[in-house]
Amino acid sequence: MSRLKFLAIYLPQFHRLPENDEWWGEGFTEWTTVRAAERLFDGHNQPREPLCDNYYNLMEKETMRWQAELAIKYGIYGFCFYHYYFKNGRKILEKPAENLLKWKELNLRFCFCWANETWARTWSNISGANTWTEKFEKGNKESGILLKQDYGNKEDWQKHFEYLLSFFKDERYIKIGNKPIFIFYRPDDILVFGEMLSLWSELAIQEGFSGIYSIAVNSFEHEEVDAVLLHGPSAYENPRIVGESVPEEWINQICCTDYEAVWKNAVNCIIAEDKKVYYGGFVDYDDTPRRGKLGSLLKNVHPDVFEEYMYRLAVKNVALHNEFVFINAWNEWGESNYLEPDKKNGFAYLEALKRIEMKCNATDFDGIGEWRKLSNNREIAEIGRRERELLREVKRYQKCYYLLDRWMLLKEKGIGLENYFRDNRFDRIIIYGFAAIGKHLFEELRGTSIQVVCAIDRREGLKYPGIEIIASVEAEKIPDADIIVVTVIQDAEIIVRKLKTVFNRAVVTLENIIFDRVLRI
């Protein structure tokens, strides 16, 4: 049996930089939010204080040396650095990884997770953006966007790869089968995902690698990736991902979720997908240091609960032949999610992890046997064809529900889809998929300034008043239009990529429009 390796998610936010000075005040770092945390109700574990008041600076080599030695001592194989890369190659929080590249003597294995979100101020209406510090918002500015995420074209993708290449070539960079591991935090937001990943793989092969080992976070929408990572407690609270939810309790306006209940979802859920799935663990979660009463947290958190369920999750990964277990996180102090020692628990979480690592890597350890014992002999790899189909249907209906709910919310606020098409100069559209959602889109646009040229649906012979429906997706049979809108829910991104091969204009999913993921066509 190969050794099970623990990888801890790593936040490089603990050093001063000009952008933070400008946005949040001079000298701002993640420690600013941690120090300013408030106890918002009885029993609330705030503020969090690092052991020995170790409010470190990641620009100091000794800090990273200490982290590396501590990680190795307690059974952590390496760190997964959050990587921040924005429009036109703009980088931020990149210095710790760049310093590590220079400090070859530090024994620290690492890889990257691209946190590909737009950064926005809290008062902005940008959907899906990362808002770092609600409590420190200084008031309205000219734009809600701090750093915009935009994926550009092949030239931009190549420049991004060239920046990453020096890291990939470092012998400490973590690889699988001569492929550098690279994780995509929000892959569904990257409308050019397939094309970009294909180019990166080609470039990696040219540089002597066997490609890129790509991992998508909390998304099963991309057939191109090698694996999916269920990341953070939010994955196991989301019925769209694991089919289970967790009851919430509101204490003094704070949304609280039971720690053990989330862990039970993590160890019990089985994802029925024909793809490798890494089941990631987590330490804690409380983002009130950043967000105050807008925040949320896990309650009843304790190192003993962590050890019990982290062991079960590690066993589950072993039984599934996963070589890595990802843990969120090493040092997300602003979200109270850290393995590093603090004044309340000392080294308790690290000591627990070390015991788990030693058990799982013992020479006589039988991962499959142990998992069957822990899961009451539930088979983990033999899920019947019908069950797979049913689970896919459940996911499809869940996505339909969330799309229609969001659509209705937009309509209630007076935001019509006509605005989106008109603002982007898409005057003539084609609807792909003319089941219920496609018909709703047509009816919303009927009588507006937007012309629906036709609908495309593979089912032969469909008819509907006021619109022509064709079954062919051959290039010469598709009428002239500005955009094709894919209303199909299942495998929508795959359909988009296929349509782009025969239609030389914009192609986008209705889901991406509804959830405001389309920042640039």
Side-chain angles (χ1 to χ4, degrees), residues 440-500:
H440 287 312
L441 176 60
F442 172 66
E443 292 295 345
E444 175 161 332
L445 296 176
R446 192 200 288 259
T448 70
S449 62
I450 306 303
Q451 179 185 357
V452 180
V453 176
C454 71
I456 300 174
D457 195 296
R458 294 280 193 170
R459 296 169 294 174
E460 294 278 356
L462 285 185
K463 296 185 182 300
Y464 193 80
I467 186 171
E468 178 188 6
I469 304 173
I470 62 176
S472 174
V473 291
E474 297 175 16
E476 62 274 13
K477 294 184 179 180
I478 298 177
D480 180 54
D482 301 313
I483 187 172
I484 295 179
V485 182
V486 176
T487 66
V488 177
I489 294 297
Q490 200 78 288
D491 300 324
E493 296 297 341
I494 296 172
I495 293 169
V496 167
R497 288 191 290 275
K498 289 180 179 177
L499 285 173
K500 285 182 177 180

Side-chain angles (χ1 to χ4, degrees), residues 54 96 127 141 296 363 379 390:
N54 185 17
S127 174
K141 305 285 184 181
S296 60
T363 55
E379 294 291 340
L390 287 172

Side-chain angles (χ1 to χ4, degrees), residues 62-92:
E62 286 310 305
T63 293
M64 297 192 75
R65 188 192 308 278
W66 168 76
Q67 290 178 324
E69 292 174 353
L70 192 66
I72 292 169
K73 179 179 179 180
Y74 287 99
I76 295 171
Y77 182 78
F79 290 158
C80 179
F81 279 69
Y82 278 125
H83 167 67
Y84 300 94
Y85 191 97
F86 295 90
K87 182 178 180 179
N88 297 325
R90 173 80 178 273
K91 298 181 288 294
I92 195 170

Side-chain angles (χ1 to χ4, degrees), residues 21-274:
D21 287 348
E22 177 186 349
W23 297 332
W24 314 116
E26 189 172 349
F28 180 91
T29 72
E30 189 78 347
W31 292 126
T32 308
T33 63
V34 175
R35 290 176 186 269
E38 301 173 83
R39 194 170 185 234
L40 299 176
F41 54 85
D42 288 344
H44 187 200
N45 182 21
Q46 290 294 349
R48 307 294 180 97
E49 298 176 291
L51 192 64
C52 302
D53 292 321
N54 185 17
Y55 296 96
Y56 52 69
N57 179 356
L58 289 184
M59 292 295 95
E60 297 174 358
K61 183 187 291 189
E62 286 310 305
T63 293
M64 297 192 75
R65 188 192 308 278
W66 168 76
Q67 290 178 324
E69 292 174 353
L70 192 66
I72 292 169
K73 179 179 179 180
Y74 287 99
I76 295 171
Y77 182 78
F79 290 158
C80 179
F81 279 69
Y82 278 125
H83 167 67
Y84 300 94
Y85 191 97
F86 295 90
K87 182 178 180 179
N88 297 325
R90 173 80 178 273
K91 298 181 288 294
I92 195 170
L93 303 178
E94 77 283 7
K95 293 302 181 185
E98 290 181 355
N99 284 340
L100 179 60
L101 202 61
K102 295 186 294 186
W103 298 335
K104 301 290 185 184
E105 68 274 19
L106 295 189
N107 184 17
L108 180 57
R109 301 180 186 91
F110 67 102
C111 61
F112 282 140
C113 174
W114 183 12
N116 60 304
E117 299 171 302
T118 288
W119 285 14
R121 292 190 173 276
T122 60
W123 46 263
S124 92
N125 290 321
I126 298 168
S127 174
N130 184 7
T131 52
W132 276 97
T133 51
E134 276 91 336
K135 282 177 58 177
F136 294 85
E137 180 61 69
K138 300 299 183 184
N140 208 324
K141 305 285 184 181
E142 291 184 1
S143 170
I145 296 176
L146 299 174
L147 289 172
K148 185 175 182 180
Q149 192 55 263
D150 189 311
Y151 304 100
N153 53 32
K154 287 188 176 181
E155 182 179 350
D156 299 300
W157 312 338
Q158 182 160 348
K159 287 179 180 177
H160 191 176
F161 176 85
E162 288 168 354
Y163 173 75
L164 294 168
L165 184 59
S166 58
F167 296 96
F168 292 165
K169 287 189 172 182
D170 191 288
E171 62 180 11
R172 297 166 297 173
Y173 196 93
I174 302 166
K175 303 173 183 71
I176 296 178
N178 194 35
K179 293 182 177 182
I181 291 176
F182 194 83
I183 301 173
F184 296 87
Y185 189 74
R186 294 178 69 97
D188 296 352
D189 290 357
I190 308 175
L191 301 183
V192 292
F193 185 82
E195 298 95 323
M196 183 174 67
L197 183 57
S198 176
L199 176 65
W200 281 12
S201 294
E202 291 174 11
L203 294 171
I205 290 170
Q206 291 173 17
E207 294 293 337
F209 299 109
S210 300
I212 299 291
Y213 193 91
S214 55
I215 301 177
V217 169
N218 297 342
S219 173
F220 294 89
E221 300 299 317
H222 304 279
E223 61 178 3
E224 309 94 337
V225 298
D226 296 285
V228 171
L229 167 62
L230 297 190
H231 173 72
S234 60
Y236 303 113
E237 299 174 59
N238 190 341
R240 298 176 68 184
I241 298 174
V242 299
E244 298 285 345
S245 60
V246 180
E248 297 173 346
E249 177 185 2
W250 293 85
I251 305 176
N252 194 21
Q253 303 177 48
I254 309 300
C255 181
C256 305
T257 309
D258 184 67
Y259 186 61
E260 187 170 8
V262 180
W263 264 116
K264 285 181 178 178
N265 273 3
V267 299
N268 291 333
C269 70
I270 298 291
I271 304 298
E273 295 282 344
D274 296 323

Side-chain angles (χ1 to χ4, degrees), residues 147-414:
L147 289 172
K148 185 175 182 180
Q149 192 55 263
D150 189 311
Y151 304 100
N153 53 32
K154 287 188 176 181
E155 182 179 350
D156 299 300
W157 312 338
Q158 182 160 348
K159 287 179 180 177
H160 191 176
F161 176 85
E162 288 168 354
Y163 173 75
L164 294 168
L165 184 59
S166 58
F167 296 96
F168 292 165
K169 287 189 172 182
D170 191 288
E171 62 180 11
R172 297 166 297 173
Y173 196 93
I174 302 166
K175 303 173 183 71
I176 296 178
N178 194 35
K179 293 182 177 182
I181 291 176
F182 194 83
I183 301 173
F184 296 87
Y185 189 74
R186 294 178 69 97
D188 296 352
D189 290 357
I190 308 175
L191 301 183
V192 292
F193 185 82
E195 298 95 323
M196 183 174 67
L197 183 57
S198 176
L199 176 65
W200 281 12
S201 294
E202 291 174 11
L203 294 171
I205 290 170
Q206 291 173 17
E207 294 293 337
F209 299 109
S210 300
I212 299 291
Y213 193 91
S214 55
I215 301 177
V217 169
N218 297 342
S219 173
F220 294 89
E221 300 299 317
H222 304 279
E223 61 178 3
E224 309 94 337
V225 298
D226 296 285
V228 171
L229 167 62
L230 297 190
H231 173 72
S234 60
Y236 303 113
E237 299 174 59
N238 190 341
R240 298 176 68 184
I241 298 174
V242 299
E244 298 285 345
S245 60
V246 180
E248 297 173 346
E249 177 185 2
W250 293 85
I251 305 176
N252 194 21
Q253 303 177 48
I254 309 300
C255 181
C256 305
T257 309
D258 184 67
Y259 186 61
E260 187 170 8
V262 180
W263 264 116
K264 285 181 178 178
N265 273 3
V267 299
N268 291 333
C269 70
I270 298 291
I271 304 298
E273 295 282 344
D274 296 323
K275 189 177 292 295
K276 180 182 279 290
V277 178
Y278 292 102
Y279 293 84
F282 52 92
V283 182
D284 193 351
Y285 190 82
D286 178 349
D287 64 10
T288 60
R290 285 184 179 170
R291 309 217 155 104
K293 288 192 175 182
L294 296 174
S296 60
L297 58 83
L298 296 175
K299 63 177 184 174
N300 304 321
V301 177
H302 195 277
D304 290 346
V305 180
F306 170 78
E307 182 166 6
E308 176 184 353
Y309 287 96
M310 188 71 240
Y311 173 66
R312 293 187 184 189
L313 194 75
V315 170
K316 180 177 181 176
N317 279 282
V318 172
L320 290 166
H321 307 290
N322 290 342
E323 55 277 80
F324 296 108
V325 177
F326 293 84
I327 302 175
N328 190 31
W330 174 259
N331 64 339
E332 291 189 2
W333 286 84
E335 294 181 348
S336 311
N337 190 7
Y338 51 86
L339 286 164
E340 289 180 329
D342 69 4
K343 290 183 179 180
K344 179 178 180 179
N345 294 303
F347 292 84
Y349 286 99
L350 286 169
E351 290 166 348
L353 192 64
K354 180 62 177 177
R355 288 190 289 269
I356 294 167
E357 190 267 341
M358 291 177 68
K359 285 182 188 178
C360 291
N361 288 318
T363 55
D364 59 348
F365 182 74
D366 176 10
I368 294 177
E370 181 72 358
W371 174 246
R372 286 177 176 165
K373 182 175 71 175
L374 290 172
S375 59
N376 298 318
N377 295 315
R378 182 178 181 183
E379 294 291 340
I380 62 169
E382 299 300 324
I383 298 175
R385 178 185 61 81
R386 183 56 184 158
E387 185 175 356
R388 286 176 182 267
E389 291 175 355
L390 287 172
L391 287 169
R392 279 175 61 85
E393 283 297 292
V394 168
K395 284 188 176 183
R396 185 168 73 87
Y397 283 115
Q398 286 172 341
K399 292 182 76 170
C400 284
Y401 167 80
Y402 286 110
L403 184 146
L404 291 171
D405 180 56
R406 170 77 174 184
W407 195 347
M408 288 299 297
L409 287 172
L410 292 174
K411 289 176 72 68
E412 289 162 11
K413 292 180 179 181

